[in-house]
């Protein structure tokens, strides 16, 4: 794990009169979470970590670094952690706020998250996707590259969205008002239980006709501490089932 440098808050990225929340689903990320939270706090974020049944010191490290921690007593999976974080944001946040959702494994940058918010503010977007295809990605294992390009091709073919290149990445910024509208239409957010949850949210959102834009990000697996949580064949199956379900729904 590479220790990040703390930086000064780039106020030009922050919405006028609003707050930016960083939402971090985390399972056994004690090696990464402290430095990540400290960096985000220095950038002006409200930081919330969902400790999804970790067996290490994730929760205590996040709290010591200044994050609010909500805990699942047992591991419920990524989708449940995202749901808990979005619910927390909708209760504690308010109009004018943004939620930035990203991985807690050190591969993504909180400063990039503020660039997503800046793009949303500048364009009036409801949802901003951090696209690895418009930025750069380093150190990605070959099997994950193949999966990502395959998923991009299939979702672009069957669920085309103008300007969207990265359907599967979870690094996104959501406007509070959009999430409030979305949860009224889809109270459970998504029906999937794993990595497909963020993609399902994006595709279901099409029924609300939101403005969706992308901003390039730097995805760097060299910064990752610990092993990957993704089980590739299980995830492939999840995405195929998602496509089958949504072809009939949307």
């Amino acid at each position: 794990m590479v220790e990040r440098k703390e930086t000064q808050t780039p106020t030009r990225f922050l919405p006028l009169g609003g707050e930016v929340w960083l939402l971090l689903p985390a399972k056994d990320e004690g090696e990464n979470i402290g430095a990540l939270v400290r960096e985000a706090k220095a950038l002006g974020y409200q930081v919330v970590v969902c400790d999804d049944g970790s067996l290490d010191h994730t929760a205590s490290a996040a709290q010591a670094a200044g994050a609010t921690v909500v805990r699942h007593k047992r591991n419920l999976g990524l989708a449940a952690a995202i749901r808990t974080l979005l619910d927390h944001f909708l209760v504690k946040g308010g109009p004018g706020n943004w939620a930035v959702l990203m991985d807690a494994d050190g591969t993504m940058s909180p400063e990039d998250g503020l660039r997503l918010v800046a793009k949303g503010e500048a364009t009036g977007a409801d949802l901003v996707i951090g696209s690895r295809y418009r930025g750069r990605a380093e150190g990605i294992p070959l099997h994950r590259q193949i999966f990502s390009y395959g998923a991009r091709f299939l979702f672009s073919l069957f669920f085309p969205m103008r300007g969207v290149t990265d359907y599967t990445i979870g690094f996104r910024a959501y406007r509070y008002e959009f999430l409030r509208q979305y949860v009224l239409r889809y109270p459970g957010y998504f029906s999937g239980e794993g990595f497909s949850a963020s993609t399902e949210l994006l595709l279901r959102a099409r029924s609300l006709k939101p403005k969706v834009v992308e901003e390039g990000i730097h995805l760097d697996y060299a910064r990752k501490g610990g092993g990957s949580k993704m089980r590739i064949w299980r995830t492939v199956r999840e995405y195929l089932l998602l496509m089958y379900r949504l072809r009939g729904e949307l």
Side-chain angles (χ1 to χ4, degrees):
M1 189 266 301
V2 178
E3 185 76 13
R4 295 172 179 270
K5 294 181 180 179
E6 295 185 5
T7 55
Q8 296 300 311
T9 305
T11 54
R12 67 188 183 280
F13 288 162
L14 300 178
L16 184 64
E19 294 180 326
V20 183
W21 295 60
L22 184 63
L23 309 181
L24 298 170
K27 169 70 166 65
D28 296 332
E29 295 290 357
E31 188 176 344
N32 306 296
I33 199 73
L36 183 59
V37 170
R38 286 191 293 274
E39 179 183 0
K41 294 291 289 185
L43 289 167
Y45 281 102
Q46 301 290 329
V47 184
V48 185
V49 174
C50 178
D51 177 22
D52 186 33
S54 294
L55 301 178
D56 68 357
H57 61 291
T58 294
S60 59
Q63 286 178 322
T68 297
V69 177
V70 291
R71 302 190 68 176
H72 294 165
K73 292 183 179 180
R74 60 184 179 86
N75 179 232
L76 299 178
L78 179 61
I82 293 174
R83 187 179 291 114
T84 293
L85 288 165
L86 294 178
D87 281 344
H88 183 94
F89 172 66
L90 287 178
V91 170
K92 301 294 185 179
N97 291 180
W98 284 85
V100 174
L101 187 67
M102 59 177 267
D103 294 350
D105 60 5
T107 60
M108 300 170 179
S109 165
E111 190 160 3
D112 274 352
L114 292 184
R115 291 177 54 244
L116 303 189
V117 173
K119 184 69 169 282
E121 288 287 292
T123 61
D126 301 293
L127 192 164
V128 185
I129 299 170
S131 174
R132 72 199 98 180
Y133 303 114
R134 297 186 188 276
R136 58 194 174 104
E138 299 178 295
I140 311 296
L142 179 61
H143 67 280
R144 293 195 67 154
Q145 292 184 51
I146 294 171
F147 168 79
S148 297
Y149 279 104
R152 177 186 178 185
F153 172 76
L154 290 174
F155 283 112
S156 297
L157 181 64
F158 292 107
F159 302 93
M161 296 182 70
R162 185 177 180 182
V164 174
T165 65
D166 206 328
Y167 287 80
T168 58
I169 198 163
F171 195 179
R172 299 183 189 156
Y174 299 95
R175 193 183 291 273
Y176 177 91
E177 292 84 349
F178 161 73
L179 282 176
R180 175 59 65 190
Q181 182 185 18
Y182 179 92
V183 79
L184 291 175
R185 176 72 66 88
Y186 302 107
Y189 298 100
F190 28 71
S191 56
E193 297 180 356
F195 284 84
S196 66
S198 292
T199 302
E200 184 176 346
L201 191 159
L202 174 65
L203 297 181
R204 280 182 160 184
R206 299 191 313 169
S207 66
L208 302 174
K209 296 180 171 55
K211 182 170 184 178
V212 180
V213 300
E214 289 190 330
E215 177 71 11
I217 60 160
H218 179 204
L219 190 61
D220 186 1
Y221 267 65
R223 295 194 301 234
K224 184 180 179 65
S228 174
K229 308 297 190 302
M230 177 185 280
R231 299 296 177 262
I232 191 69
W233 293 114
R234 180 189 303 173
T235 304
V236 168
R237 181 175 179 272
E238 277 183 31
Y239 278 98
L240 291 175
L241 288 173
L242 172 65
M243 293 180 67
Y244 177 78
R245 287 200 319 271
L246 294 189
R247 287 290 287 174
E249 178 182 325
L250 300 178

